[in-house]
Amino acid sequence: MSAAGPGPAGGGLQAPPPAGPGSAGRRVSVTEYPRWRVFPPIALGVIMATLDMSVVTIALPTLQRAFGAGLSTVEWVALAYSLTITGLLLAGGRVADARGRRGVYGAGLLLFTAASGLCGAAPTVEALIVLRVVQGVGAALLSGNGSALLVQAFPLEQRGRALGAFGAMVGVGLAVGPPLGGLLVANASWRWIFLVNVPLGLLTWDMLRKRVPADPPPAVRPGAPPTALLGFGVAPFAWAAALAALSLALTRGPESGWGDPLVLASAAGGVLLLALFLGSQRRAPEPLLPLDLVAGPLGAAVALTFLGQLLSVSVGFHMPLVLEETGGFSPARSGAWLSVLPLAALACAPLAGQLADRLGPRTLTTAGMLLTAVGFWLLSQLGAMPAGLRLASGLALVGVGQGLFAVPNASALLSLVPAQRLGLASGLQGTTRNLGIAAGVALTGAIVTARYHAHSGTALRLGARGGVDHLAFVLATREAFRALAAVALLSAMLAWFARTGGGMPSSAQRAGAQSIAS
C-alpha cells in the first residue's frame, strides 16, 4: 500500500517540478526539491499521532458514562493505543527501510485516518478499544518514519533546524491534546476527538502526494532472503509483545502496586520475551534490531533519548500532585504554572536546531542536561506552599534544558546510521521515547511512594479521606527531585564522554548523510 498515486512506470507520483523554464514534466530529484515543502505533511501526520496519545485522557470520565463501563475498562481506550505504538515503532521504521518511507508513511496515514473515523462511530467500548489498536498501528507507521523522512530531505548542515521545528510540532501535539479534548467533549461529543482526524488526515495525505518525492524502487541487499522486503518473521510480534508487557507493568505499577499480580505477570513476561527476542536477533540473517549497530555511539544516543524523556515526563506527572495536594492550587492554576515547562522547551527547540548545525550535539546535549539538573535541584527546594520565583525558575530551567538537549540528540542519533537504516534509527528513537515516558511515571511514583511511607509510616493515598501527611509528602517530593537531578547529572556525563571531539559526525558519516539528500 502506498501513498503514491498513478504515474510513469517505476516512478509513482512525481514531485512537483521547480518553477523555471524547461522544468515542466521533469522528474525532480531530492537535491532540487524545495526542502521545506516536505515539512507540513510530515509534521501534521506526527502531530495527529502524538495528539491522540493525550487527547483521550480528558474524555475518560465521559466515556465511562457513555458506555456504562468501569474505569478499569475505559482506561484501555488510552492504553491500547500507547502500547501498540510503543511495540510497533521499530517494526514500522524497519519496514520503511525496505519498502520505501513515503509509501509506508502514507499507508500509516490512511490507516490512522480510517481507524479514527471508525473510532468516532464505535458502538461499544470493546469495539473502541479494538479500533484504537488499529489506529495505533497506523500511528506507529507515521511516528516511526517522520524524522527519517526529514533527514532524507535535508542536508546535514540544515538538519538541526528541520528537526528543531519538527520537535516543536511534536511538543504542540502533546500540549494541545488535553485542552482540545476538553473543548470537543464539552461543546460537541466525545466522538469528535476521533472524527476531527478524518479531514486533517485526508488533507495531510493530499499534501504528502504533492510535496514529498516518490520512493525509489526498493532494492534487496545482495544475499538477503526473498522475504527481506516483506517482514522479519515473528520478530516484530515478539518485540511488540515484550515492550507492550513492560510498558503495561511500568504504567500500572505506581497505581496498582508493584506486587499486583497483573503487574508482576506483565513485567516477568516482558523480560522473558525480550530475552528471547534478543537471543533470536543474534542468529537472524535479517534482524529486526541489528545489535552490532546499536552498540557504541548509537547506543549512547538511544540511552540519552530514554533518559531525556524520563526526566521530562517526571515533572509533568508529579508537579500537578504537588501543586494541588500541598499548595491547594486549582487544576486551572496548576495547569497555568506547568505550562512554563513546555513553553520554555518549545521556545528553545528551533534555536537548539540552529546551534546544533554549527556546534554539533556534544556541547548542547551536555549543557541541556546540566540545566535540567539545576532545574530539578531548585524544584527539590520547594516547601509546603510551592509558588513564586523558585517554582517558575525550576520549571523554566528543566524546559530550557530539555529543549536544548532533545533536538541535537535526535540529530546525532539519526546521523549515526547509514541512509538505508534511517527507518531503524527513527523507530528506535520513538520506541525509547515512549518507554521513557512510562519509566518516568513509574520511577517518580515509586520514589515518592517509598519515601512517603518511610517518613509517615503509612501508605500514600492521594485523594483518600483524611488527606495525606503534607510534611511527609513534601519531604518525599524533595528526595524524588534530588534523585532526578542526579539522573540528569549522570546523563550530562554520558552526553559528554560518549561523544568524542565536538560531537559532529565523522567524515564517513557526513558523506553518507549527504548522500541521503542528493
Side-chain angles (χ1 to χ4, degrees), residues 226-427:
T227 57
L229 291 180
L230 301 178
F232 303 90
V234 298
F237 302 102
W239 172 259
L243 294 192
L246 291 173
S247 297
L248 180 61
L250 290 170
T251 302
R252 299 300 291 267
E255 177 186 346
S256 304
W258 296 102
D260 180 79
L262 176 61
V263 172
L264 289 175
S266 298
V271 170
L272 178 61
L273 284 170
L274 186 60
L276 292 173
F277 169 81
L278 293 175
S280 70
Q281 294 303 283
R282 295 183 183 278
R283 303 183 298 272
E286 187 70 18
L288 177 69
L289 180 64
L291 299 180
D292 57 333
L293 194 64
V294 178
L298 180 62
V302 169
L304 285 167
T305 300
F306 174 84
L307 291 169
Q309 198 64 52
L310 181 153
L311 291 167
S312 182
V313 79
S314 296
V315 181
F317 163 70
H318 190 61
M319 279 308 297
L321 305 179
V322 174
L323 297 178
E324 294 171 30
E325 186 65 40
T326 65
F329 286 25
S330 67
R333 188 182 176 199
S334 172
W337 273 102
L338 287 173
S339 67
V340 171
L341 192 152
L343 288 175
L346 287 174
C348 284
L351 173 64
Q354 294 181 37
L355 291 174
D357 290 334
R358 296 202 300 266
L359 301 177
R362 186 189 194 192
T363 301
L364 287 177
T365 53
T366 303
M369 280 299 184
L370 289 175
L371 287 175
T372 300
V374 175
F376 272 112
W377 181 81
L378 285 174
L379 293 176
S380 74
Q381 306 303 306
L382 294 175
M385 294 298 291
L389 183 61
R390 185 171 291 170
L391 173 61
S393 299
L395 291 172
L397 281 173
V398 173
V400 169
Q402 288 303 298
L404 288 177
F405 164 81
V407 174
N409 188 67
S411 181
L413 191 154
L414 292 164
S415 297
L416 289 168
V417 296
Q420 64 271 22
R421 291 270 175 85
L422 277 174
L424 164 68
S426 182

Side-chain angles (χ1 to χ4, degrees), residues 30-460:
V30 178
T31 307
E32 299 168 323
Y33 199 77
R35 301 184 192 283
W36 284 102
R37 282 177 57 85
V38 310
F39 187 80
I42 298 171
L44 264 178
V46 175
I47 283 176
M48 287 193 297
T50 306
L51 186 148
D52 263 54
M53 291 190 73
S54 57
V55 73
V56 170
T57 306
I58 200 75
L60 291 182
T62 303
L63 291 172
Q64 273 188 276
R65 292 190 295 271
F67 291 116
L71 180 60
S72 59
T73 299
V74 171
E75 281 179 334
W76 280 95
V77 176
L79 278 174
Y81 182 81
S82 61
L83 294 178
T84 302
I85 291 181
T86 301
L88 294 180
L89 275 168
L90 180 61
R94 291 291 278 133
V95 170
D97 283 340
R99 300 304 302 262
R101 296 187 182 94
R102 192 187 81 159
V104 171
Y105 187 93
L109 180 61
L110 290 176
L111 181 60
F112 176 86
T113 303
S116 295
L118 293 172
C119 283
T124 65
V125 69
E126 292 80 10
L128 180 57
I129 292 169
V130 171
L131 289 167
R132 284 283 280 173
V133 172
V134 178
Q135 193 188 32
V137 175
L141 297 178
L142 283 172
S143 300
N145 289 291
S147 52
L149 276 171
L150 280 183
V151 169
Q152 181 175 280
F154 284 84
L156 193 64
E157 63 272 11
Q158 297 179 18
R159 188 172 299 164
R161 265 171 290 180
L163 290 174
F166 183 73
M169 294 300 101
V170 172
V172 166
L174 288 172
V176 166
L180 177 62
L183 186 66
L184 291 172
V185 169
N187 296 285
S189 162
W190 67 264
R191 297 184 183 276
W192 278 100
I193 64 178
F194 302 112
L195 295 176
V196 72
N197 289 325
V198 176
L200 285 176
L202 294 175
L203 173 65
T204 304
W205 186 72
D206 185 59
M207 286 195 293
L208 182 76
R209 292 171 59 246
K210 293 176 179 177
R211 291 169 175 254
V212 179
D215 296 316
V220 182
R221 176 175 52 82
T227 57
L229 291 180
L230 301 178
F232 303 90
V234 298
F237 302 102
W239 172 259
L243 294 192
L246 291 173
S247 297
L248 180 61
L250 290 170
T251 302
R252 299 300 291 267
E255 177 186 346
S256 304
W258 296 102
D260 180 79
L262 176 61
V263 172
L264 289 175
S266 298
V271 170
L272 178 61
L273 284 170
L274 186 60
L276 292 173
F277 169 81
L278 293 175
S280 70
Q281 294 303 283
R282 295 183 183 278
R283 303 183 298 272
E286 187 70 18
L288 177 69
L289 180 64
L291 299 180
D292 57 333
L293 194 64
V294 178
L298 180 62
V302 169
L304 285 167
T305 300
F306 174 84
L307 291 169
Q309 198 64 52
L310 181 153
L311 291 167
S312 182
V313 79
S314 296
V315 181
F317 163 70
H318 190 61
M319 279 308 297
L321 305 179
V322 174
L323 297 178
E324 294 171 30
E325 186 65 40
T326 65
F329 286 25
S330 67
R333 188 182 176 199
S334 172
W337 273 102
L338 287 173
S339 67
V340 171
L341 192 152
L343 288 175
L346 287 174
C348 284
L351 173 64
Q354 294 181 37
L355 291 174
D357 290 334
R358 296 202 300 266
L359 301 177
R362 186 189 194 192
T363 301
L364 287 177
T365 53
T366 303
M369 280 299 184
L370 289 175
L371 287 175
T372 300
V374 175
F376 272 112
W377 181 81
L378 285 174
L379 293 176
S380 74
Q381 306 303 306
L382 294 175
M385 294 298 291
L389 183 61
R390 185 171 291 170
L391 173 61
S393 299
L395 291 172
L397 281 173
V398 173
V400 169
Q402 288 303 298
L404 288 177
F405 164 81
V407 174
N409 188 67
S411 181
L413 191 154
L414 292 164
S415 297
L416 289 168
V417 296
Q420 64 271 22
R421 291 270 175 85
L422 277 174
L424 164 68
S426 182
L428 199 56
Q429 178 190 44
T431 301
T432 51
R433 193 163 48 222
N434 284 5
L435 287 174
I437 292 174
V441 172
L443 177 65
T444 309
I447 295 174
V448 171
T449 300
R451 298 311 301 159
Y452 179 89
H453 184 271
H455 289 297
S456 69
T458 60
L460 177 60

Side-chain angles (χ1 to χ4, degrees), residues 423-502:
L424 164 68
S426 182
L428 199 56
Q429 178 190 44
T431 301
T432 51
R433 193 163 48 222
N434 284 5
L435 287 174
I437 292 174
V441 172
L443 177 65
T444 309
I447 295 174
V448 171
T449 300
R451 298 311 301 159
Y452 179 89
H453 184 271
H455 289 297
S456 69
T458 60
L460 177 60
R461 293 284 186 268
L462 291 172
R465 182 176 298 178
V468 301
D469 184 329
H470 282 190
L471 177 60
F473 189 68
V474 168
L475 293 174
T477 296
R478 287 180 172 181
E479 291 168 353
F481 284 153
R482 286 174 192 152
L484 292 168
V487 172
L489 284 175
L490 291 173
S491 301
M493 294 173 62
L494 177 62
W496 183 260
F497 290 110
R499 291 170 177 149
T500 57

